[in-house]
Amino acid sequence: MSTQKDFLDSLHGIADRIDEGMSEKDVENAFLNEEFFSCLDYQGAGYDLRSEWTLPDNRRPDYVTLDENETVTAVYEFKTSGLQISRDEEEQLFHYVDELKADYGILTNGE
């Protein structure tokens, strides 16, 4: 089980990796490489972390995390760094959270 220090170290590592103008994929990779999801006690890709989970309307959040019953617990949307997150992007996340009945939604440009 991860500690609060592990989680904070992960967030600091992400912050150190983020440069202005990084693509969404680069921001995603910063979260993956800094063990963000494992600090939340998820096993990782292919287990309880899934990318591009397809909704009935064919839209896809970047990542979702699942509980032991494969119910979506959180939705993660990554955006390009250096840009202000827009209301449309917030609404996109809220749509995913509502559609998947997730407990949490995380929208970040890594900053």
Side-chain angles (χ1 to χ4, degrees):
M1 184 157 190
S2 297
T3 65
Q4 181 179 5
K5 182 186 178 322
D6 294 334
F7 184 70
L8 291 174
D9 287 348
S10 173
L11 290 177
H12 288 281
I14 292 165
D16 290 344
R17 286 178 177 265
I18 300 299
D19 292 323
E20 184 144 340
M22 290 177 76
S23 71
E24 289 182 26
K25 189 53 110 176
D26 291 336
V27 174
E28 284 179 26
N29 286 334
F31 278 77
L32 292 169
N33 292 336
E34 289 298 327
E35 309 279 325
F36 174 80
F37 295 102
S38 65
C39 285
L40 297 174
D41 291 329
Y42 290 104
Q43 292 179 329
Y47 295 97
D48 48 11
L49 174 65
R50 305 280 172 78
S51 65
E52 302 290 326
W53 187 275
T54 303
L55 301 176
D57 62 4
N58 286 325
R59 294 170 72 184
R60 291 180 223 151
D62 294 326
Y63 281 90
V64 298
T65 46
L66 309 169
D67 66 14
E68 61 277 351
N69 297 316
E70 297 229 347
T71 301
V72 175
T73 56
V75 177
Y76 304 82
E77 261 308 295
F78 300 97
K79 300 300 175 189
T80 301
S81 66
L83 300 177
Q84 185 172 347
I85 292 175
S86 72
R87 182 72 187 143
D88 288 341
E89 292 165 329
E90 291 174 0
E91 288 175 7
Q92 175 189 30
L93 177 69
F94 294 141
H95 169 75
Y96 294 154
V97 169
D98 289 344
E99 187 74 26
L100 293 167
K101 297 176 180 38
D103 296 324
Y104 303 97
I106 293 85
L107 173 62
T108 184
N109 62 5
E111 296 175 22

